[in-house]
Amino acid sequence: MNNVGNEGQETVFQFRLMTVADIPDVMEIEHEAFTLPWTEEAFHNELKHNHFAKYMVMELDGTAVGYAGMWTIMDEAHITNIAVRKAYQGRKLGERLLDELMKTAAYLGMERMTLEVRVSNIIAQNLYQKKGFESAGLRKGYYSDNGEDAMIMWAVLPPAGRSGEEEGSVMDS
């Protein structure tokens, strides 16, 4: 997607830090996107108590259309979630969220990034490979809804300066 809407006008997505006030919208997205959604309490805990957690919301005209999260520990970032509303899927917005998450992780000094993805989710695996992630093994029976294995993937992040040139990136607050 090149940021062009249906009528030819530019579509501008905003990225910002997730707040507790975003949880109702995030829960809608979570239930649309996943067979094993996180709970509202899990998001409250992530935002209020997990100092390793960094979550962002992608908005269009003030409406949350996607979100992404990661944990930043030492020099590694672990992606926890990336999700887009059903009505906006198929527009490469997951890729936009991943790009923003990777830029933010690099800005925060992370050198590597990891994630787990269902072995059956070939579309997501292809996106991650496109962005430099490589398979590093399996977690057997990782998903409790059906016992499916998860592929572990890792990527090396390009270094990012702290000059403020990463316009639109979610900064550490």
Side-chain angles (χ1 to χ4, degrees), residues 43-64:
F43 283 104
H44 275 280
N45 285 335
E46 287 291 282
L47 295 177
K48 292 180 179 178
H49 304 295
N50 184 353
H51 65 278
F52 298 113
K54 309 281 187 246
Y55 285 83
M56 68 177 68
V57 172
M58 179 174 53
E59 290 184 333
L60 176 62
D61 298 327
T63 300

Side-chain angles (χ1 to χ4, degrees), residues 16 21-30 62-64 67 85:
R16 63 172 177 76
D22 293 313
I23 292 176
D25 286 335
V26 167
M27 290 307 301
E28 287 180 18
I29 298 167
E30 184 77 1
T63 300
Y67 78 94
R85 285 191 189 273

